[in-house]
Amino acid sequence: MKITIISHNYFPEDSGIGLYSTGMAEFLALKHDVNIITGVPYYPQWKIYSNYANNPLFSKEIINNVTVYRFKQYTPVKPTFFKRVLQMTHFFLGSVFNIIKIKKADVVLVVMPFTLSIILGWFLKTIRGGGMLWVHIQDFEFDAAFKNGISAKNQLPSKILFKIEKWTLNRADFISTISRGMMIKSAQKTTVNQVYFPNWIDYSLINPEIAQENKVFNKNTFNILYSGNIGEKQDWNFYIEFVTAMEVHPEFHFYLVGEGAKRVEVLKQLQNKVNFTYYPPVPYKQLNNLLCDADVHVLFQNSEFNDLVMPSKILGMMASAKPSIVTGHKDSEIKVNFENSHGGYYFDENTIETIKMCLMDLKNNPEKARLMGILARDFVIENFSYEKVLSEFQLKLEDTVQKK
């Protein structure tokens, strides 16, 4: 088959949506002819990578058998909702010219966000003779944005954007999402047929058996790690409050490794904490050493974002064979996964004393922590392995195209 993927994020981005769009494209390219329409890399730093900074407006590469068409999109240094809309619009307008370069597409696979990219996919499907339009939802971008209170001040833009979202989703022949909860959310927006297509983990790369000691952690403390995007979907107020409360326990140390829109704000409030250390993101090839060398992972989520997103970092945390402490919505699918795996703790409230007791328990019972980590890793290997998820998706894609 000839497959064209439209995803704003792609290699060399090695976290978030870029990581998964790249993995999907390269897996499909082992058997099919794959093109991708994308932008230049900028995430998670919100700055165009230095080796792409001097790119022309339009460029073309071939990476691991995938033909990559890039448009150099506007990238805000400090992303806000409306700057994100501007970025989305700029990518949309520029990518129209790359779409025209595609001569045939049996499948057009659009990764959402951006919502406007669905129109690009629909346009390509229309001009190239009726291939199938498949929309894969990684993030409900409008829902997440309006959870931040934007809708309360801007009701008219809210209504307009959700109407646009509904119209674009209805252009699809098929929709997939990364969690069961997101499938329910999608069904509230459109009647298009949909399937479950979760994110995955390459457990051969996140593997404690090949991990080496990293130079980040202090070996004389119990090390608590958050690694990932420092953005709106995490409860940073609670994180700051918790780190502050734990200053009286110097045997515990917090490490924040990542980048994102909230980084400056968070670091400003934690800069004088002796039990806290920040590092910028590590390359993906070093991520295994970082994740597997922590004593425990933490992820404090804003409960308002229940199943609008499914944090991909969870899979890496669990694959590291170390326990995790996660907070979020009481009905979250992540909660179900933790209950089924017994690979960590999940709480629907951010309570200092409760989480403090968990940390104390894990520190004082290393065998319990070890067994909990093993259960977490076994669970993700069984349910979210690279081979299992992408092989099942490819079969579903081929079967759907054949029937159409």
Side-chain angles (χ1 to χ4, degrees):
M1 294 190 300
K2 291 187 177 296
I3 301 172
T4 294
I5 300 171
I6 304 174
S7 173
H8 184 229
N9 300 92
Y10 196 70
F11 180 89
E13 293 183 5
D14 57 8
S15 62
I17 293 171
L19 175 67
Y20 291 106
S21 292
T22 303
M24 174 176 62
E26 293 183 353
F27 185 88
L28 293 173
L30 295 174
K31 187 176 179 181
H32 303 286
D33 184 358
V34 178
N35 300 308
I36 181 154
I37 308 295
T38 189
V40 293
Y42 68 93
Y43 184 85
Q45 294 87 351
W46 285 92
K47 181 180 180 180
I48 293 175
Y49 290 16
S50 58
N51 54 331
Y52 284 85
N54 295 321
N55 262 36
L57 204 57
F58 298 93
S59 58
K60 178 182 176 181
E61 303 175 78
I62 297 178
I63 305 173
N64 293 332
N65 296 321
V66 177
T67 303
V68 182
Y69 295 92
R70 296 191 189 271
F71 173 70
K72 192 176 182 181
Q73 77 288 344
Y74 160 72
T75 300
V77 176
K78 295 183 178 180
T80 64
F81 173 74
F82 291 104
K83 286 181 179 179
R84 286 277 285 165
V85 171
L86 181 58
Q87 183 189 48
M88 181 196 312
T89 305
H90 191 225
F91 175 73
F92 170 81
L93 293 174
S95 295
V96 169
F97 295 94
N98 278 333
I99 285 292
I100 295 172
K101 299 171 186 176
I102 305 299
K103 301 305 179 184
K104 182 181 179 182
D106 299 306
V107 179
V108 183
L109 206 162
V110 177
V111 179
M112 176 181 161
F114 294 145
T115 302
L116 282 179
S117 294
I118 302 173
I119 300 177
L120 290 172
W122 179 59
F123 176 63
L124 176 57
K125 169 189 169 179
T126 302
I127 66 172
R128 295 301 181 229
M132 184 181 70
L133 176 58
W134 186 301
V135 174
H136 179 53
I137 303 173
Q138 284 277 2
D139 194 341
F140 289 109
E141 59 195 306
F142 294 155
D143 294 79
F146 289 120
K147 284 291 182 181
N148 286 328
I150 294 175
S151 59
K153 299 179 180 178
N154 301 278
Q155 292 186 5
L156 182 59
S158 167
K159 292 179 180 178
I160 292 172
L161 288 174
F162 281 121
K163 283 184 179 295
I164 292 173
E165 180 189 58
K166 182 176 181 179
W167 185 87
T168 55
L169 287 173
N170 283 333
R171 303 296 76 116
D173 298 297
F174 244 85
I175 288 175
S176 55
T177 61
I178 61 175
S179 77
R180 308 288 184 185
M182 289 174 70
M183 289 182 71
I184 295 172
K185 188 74 175 178
S186 174
Q188 296 169 356
K189 298 171 178 289
T190 179
T191 58
V192 174
N193 291 331
Q194 58 180 317
V195 297
Y196 175 56
F197 176 26
N199 287 331
W200 59 87
I201 187 71
D202 187 341
Y203 61 89
S204 68
L205 298 179
I206 306 299
N207 182 359
E209 293 184 3
I210 61 173
Q212 300 176 353
E213 183 176 318
N214 78 88
K215 299 179 181 180
V216 170
F217 298 138
N218 181 346
K219 297 307 172 186
N220 297 317
T221 56
F222 190 83
N223 298 313
I224 304 155
L225 174 66
Y226 172 89
S227 176
N229 181 45
I230 309 173
E232 298 287 348
K233 295 159 191 172
Q234 292 80 46
D235 190 343
W236 293 111
N237 289 333
F238 178 74
Y239 183 87
I240 293 165
E241 183 182 358
F242 188 64
V243 171
T244 302
M246 291 295 290
E247 280 188 291
V248 296
H249 299 282
E251 67 272 27
F252 294 94
H253 199 92
F254 291 82
Y255 290 88
L256 176 59
V257 180
E259 185 58 84
K262 302 280 285 185
R263 177 184 63 83
V264 173
E265 176 185 338
V266 172
L267 294 186
K268 182 178 180 181
Q269 297 189 59
L270 290 172
Q271 60 184 343
N272 296 320
K273 305 299 180 185
V274 296
N275 62 335
F276 170 81
T277 303
Y278 167 77
Y279 285 94
V282 300
Y284 190 76
K285 62 183 179 180
Q286 297 177 19
L287 184 62
N288 184 49
N289 298 338
L290 178 73
L291 296 181
C292 295
D293 204 23
D295 291 301
V296 63
H297 301 281
V298 294
L299 173 59
F300 305 140
Q301 301 177 102
N302 280 321
S303 61
E304 293 87 352
F305 291 99
N306 177 38
D307 290 325
L308 300 182
V309 292
M310 177 68 175
S312 56
K313 65 177 66 66
I314 292 283
L315 301 178
M317 291 159 56
M318 298 180 77
S320 72
K322 292 298 174 72
S324 301
I325 302 174
V326 180
T327 68
H329 196 280
K330 63 183 178 64
D331 298 321
S332 172
E333 184 171 328
I334 305 170
K335 178 181 180 180
V336 176
N337 287 336
F338 268 86
E339 289 176 345
N340 290 339
S341 69
H342 305 287
Y345 299 97
Y346 186 97
F347 302 104
D348 53 40
E349 290 184 349
N350 290 332
T351 306
I352 288 177
E353 283 303 315
T354 300
I355 297 173
K356 175 182 172 181
M357 292 302 296
C358 286
L359 288 177
M360 295 286 187
D361 185 37
L362 291 172
K363 182 179 183 299
N364 295 329
N365 296 280
E367 181 62 14
K368 177 180 180 180
R370 187 186 72 84
L371 292 175
M372 191 175 283
I374 291 173
L375 290 172
R377 179 170 172 81
D378 289 346
F379 180 79
V380 294
I381 290 175
E382 181 179 354
N383 294 280
F384 298 100
S385 72
Y386 176 85
E387 300 93 336
K388 172 183 169 64
V389 172
L390 284 173
S391 294
E392 289 179 356
F393 171 70
Q394 180 170 253
L395 287 173
K396 180 65 177 179
L397 191 67
E398 293 169 343
D399 182 61
T400 304
V401 171
Q402 185 176 17
K403 289 179 179 178
K404 188 176 186 300

